[in-house]
Amino acid sequence: MQWRAKWACCLLVAGVITGCSEPKFYPTRGMVRDEVGLLSAGEVRFRPVSRPDLVASGKIQRDGTFTLSTPDRGEGVLEGDVQAAVIPAEGGPRIAKRYGDYSTADLNFTIRPRDENYFILEVRRG
């Protein structure tokens, strides 16, 4: 066996021993409201702190609710700490611009391994 084949075999065995696993995603939904009432349009995005490339998003429905899914992963959000952003719809109620940026929105949550994670996002008009 050549050294490359031996090396590849060792890496495979090491991965099995250390318990390599796929990231886990959990159903996540919620509601967005401001000081006047429910936000009825726009988009919610959750960005995992550990894997910022796996952003989950969902449209805000007329009743203020949203359900999140991650592209190429399906319904749900990666387990762990996330930062949220709220993107208002064109022509919809104006909310403070800070909510559209993860670093200034100050909307931080933790996705837990359960049947459903539910969050109420409170924003202010701008």
Side-chain angles (χ1 to χ4, degrees):
M1 197 182 255
Q2 295 181 358
W3 71 272
R4 287 183 185 165
K6 287 180 183 178
W7 181 247
C9 186
C10 288
L11 287 176
L12 178 64
V13 170
V16 170
I17 290 172
T18 59
C20 286
S21 63
E22 286 291 313
K24 295 191 177 0
F25 293 78
Y26 293 94
T28 303
R29 64 186 194 92
M31 172 186 305
V32 183
R33 65 182 182 199
D34 63 18
E35 62 268 65
V36 176
L38 299 174
L39 212 60
S40 60
E43 183 177 10
V44 173
R45 298 178 186 161
F46 275 33
R47 181 177 73 175
V49 172
S50 65
R51 295 278 307 273
D53 58 314
L54 294 176
V55 175
S57 63
K59 297 283 183 199
I60 300 170
Q61 304 301 310
R62 294 181 64 89
D63 63 356
T65 63
F66 63 88
T67 300
L68 299 175
S69 62
T70 303
D72 300 325
R73 305 293 179 142
E75 184 183 343
V77 180
L78 181 67
E79 179 182 6
D81 294 332
V82 297
Q83 297 173 304
V86 178
I87 314 302
E90 290 284 326
R94 296 209 178 262
I95 62 172
K97 286 186 177 185
R98 72 184 185 97
Y99 295 108
D101 185 311
Y102 299 110
S103 62
T104 58
D106 196 28
L107 296 170
N108 302 298
F109 304 98
T110 300
I111 304 301
R112 303 204 186 277
R114 56 175 77 153
D115 291 339
E116 177 182 83
N117 289 273
Y118 189 88
F119 302 102
I120 297 175
L121 283 64
E122 306 236 6
V123 298
R124 299 194 82 49
R125 294 213 174 185

